[in-house]
Amino acid sequence: MIALAQYGLLSILSLMLLFHLLILLKAIPYASVWGGRLKNDQEMYRFETPSILINALFLAIALIKAELLGIHLPELAMQISLWIMAALFAFNTFGNLMSKNRLEKMVFSPITLVLCTFVVILALS
């Protein structure tokens, strides 16, 4: 179960990072994220840039937990990081469920719920 959580988390986070990069590059319309509330490019950049940085940080934490990055964090720091990630994914799931955008509601809600579940499994391991 731990291996599934590790590799599932790494795969989904990698795809999410790519998704947000494609939004930033305007290959995917930004109407499909942030609850459909973004009004212009400036707002998109203001929201997507931190999102990319946070996703990259989460991916780095997942890589460290899976011992694939060659970096070691103290166990307490790893546990705190994983529980923060779990909380953010739980809140994000709720936010996606409240979205005006059907894609965000129907696709990204289950994805963030799965991410939350994977992170909780890793935090408890």
Side-chain angles (χ1 to χ4, degrees), residues 1-124:
M1 188 59 114
I2 293 170
L4 173 65
Q6 283 180 333
Y7 292 107
L9 183 63
L10 290 170
S11 298
I12 295 171
L13 286 174
S14 296
L15 291 171
M16 293 303 294
L17 187 57
L18 177 62
F19 177 76
H20 285 288
L21 285 169
L22 290 172
I23 292 167
L24 193 69
L25 297 171
K26 299 183 184 177
I28 295 174
Y30 55 77
S32 62
V33 294
W34 300 107
R37 293 176 177 89
L38 299 180
K39 303 287 186 245
N40 55 48
D41 288 357
Q42 185 178 8
E43 284 185 1
M44 181 267 294
Y45 291 124
R46 193 172 44 219
F47 280 79
E48 283 301 312
T49 301
S51 180
I52 288 168
L53 294 173
I54 291 167
N55 274 287
L57 175 64
F58 286 176
L59 183 58
I61 292 167
L63 286 165
I64 292 167
K65 179 67 176 172
E67 299 178 353
L68 296 172
L69 206 54
I71 297 172
H72 178 75
L73 287 179
E75 189 58 32
L76 181 61
M78 181 58 67
Q79 288 298 311
I80 291 169
S81 299
L82 291 170
W83 285 114
I84 289 171
M85 287 172 62
L88 289 173
F89 286 132
F91 284 123
N92 195 267
T93 300
F94 179 74
N96 287 337
L97 288 169
M98 299 299 114
S99 175
K100 295 177 183 177
N101 183 292
R102 183 177 164 97
L103 174 71
E104 201 168 13
K105 190 180 290 190
M106 302 304 289
V107 175
F108 291 111
S109 295
I111 290 173
T112 55
L113 183 59
V114 168
L115 286 168
C116 183
T117 303
F118 284 163
V119 173
V120 168
I121 289 168
L122 295 178
L124 294 173

